[in-house]
Amino acid sequence: MRMSPMRVSPMHTARFLRAVSALLLGLAVLFTASPAGAAAPAGGSAASAVRVLRYDASRAAEFRAVMDQAAQVWNADVANVRLVAGTPADFVVLADNGWPRTSVTRLGRGTIWMGREATAEGYYPLRIATHEIGHILGLPDRRTGLCTDLMSGHSAPVSCTNANPSAAERRAVDANFAGSALAAGERTGRLFVDRADAAGDLVPAP
């Protein structure tokens, strides 16, 4: 007895091909997505490299809002450190009737005094605030006399209202907070007073 060959209908063939295509497509998506998933932790670690510094300006009196503005100036200009208001604070801001000054205990930590003496002479409060934060971020005074240099301080004209760090100052801060460079860039036990009678950038604490 002879058996007739099995015939496969076109409908069954089409279903089989669709199933195979779906399987291959699923495998392609799986293998394509895997590298992206593996790369995610690297991106996460890069984001976590940003150092967050908390500051407390609750005792800065009339300069509190100015300090918040100054923090935002730095946040917009540098990538490796971010300033946020909060406690416990890495640095605190006070107000008094003396000259503005900053005591740095280590990189990112210290005390800022927003002295009214400078504003009484006509110096721009926001420039003073960003300048003093610059010391907290590891920048020394640079008395270049240029308004474009934030750290030129009072050596720039009283009329200077530039409150933004220069490109070189931005690079220096990012370098100070660049991962392994943190320890090497730290300054300890320094008091910065930007006035004519200051010896270099260091004078005895008042």
Side-chain angles (χ1 to χ4, degrees):
M1 179 178 179
R2 298 179 60 186
M3 297 181 63
S4 59
M6 182 180 294
R7 294 182 178 180
V8 180
S9 70
M11 181 179 296
H12 288 162
T13 301
R15 287 177 180 173
F16 175 75
L17 292 176
R18 283 198 297 270
V20 171
S21 298
L23 177 62
L24 293 176
L25 180 61
L27 290 173
V29 170
L30 177 64
F31 284 106
T32 302
S34 295
S45 63
S48 65
V50 176
R51 182 168 171 184
V52 176
L53 297 180
R54 289 186 297 272
Y55 67 92
D56 179 5
S58 62
R59 291 173 287 170
E62 70 270 27
F63 300 110
R64 182 170 185 171
V66 170
M67 290 305 303
D68 290 336
Q69 287 180 269
Q72 292 308 310
V73 169
W74 279 109
N75 286 342
D77 283 342
V78 295
N80 291 339
V81 61
R82 181 167 181 80
L83 307 176
V84 297
T87 56
D90 295 291
F91 66 95
V92 298
V93 186
L94 308 173
D96 69 7
N97 294 323
W99 195 264
R101 59 204 183 277
T102 298
S103 174
V104 180
T105 55
R106 60 181 296 183
L107 182 65
R109 295 178 181 270
T111 302
I112 292 173
W113 287 268
M114 286 293 291
R116 298 182 179 94
E117 191 175 345
T119 55
E121 291 187 13
Y123 288 96
Y124 186 47
L126 182 57
R127 177 175 167 84
I128 296 171
T130 52
H131 173 97
E132 299 304 332
I133 290 177
H135 290 314
I136 293 289
L137 301 181
L139 299 180
D141 286 313
R142 300 290 187 195
R143 296 190 178 93
T144 62
L146 300 176
C147 183
T148 52
D149 292 339
L150 179 63
M151 302 312 291
S152 67
H154 90 289
S155 70
V158 177
S159 59
C160 176
T161 58
N162 172 48
N164 295 94
S166 67
E169 291 165 338
R170 295 195 298 269
R171 286 194 299 269
V173 168
D174 273 331
N176 287 344
F177 288 89
S180 60
L182 278 175
E186 290 194 353
R187 295 168 172 266
T188 58
R190 308 194 77 183
L191 178 69
F192 295 90
V193 182
D194 179 35
R195 65 187 181 207
D197 60 344
D201 57 13
L202 181 64
V203 298

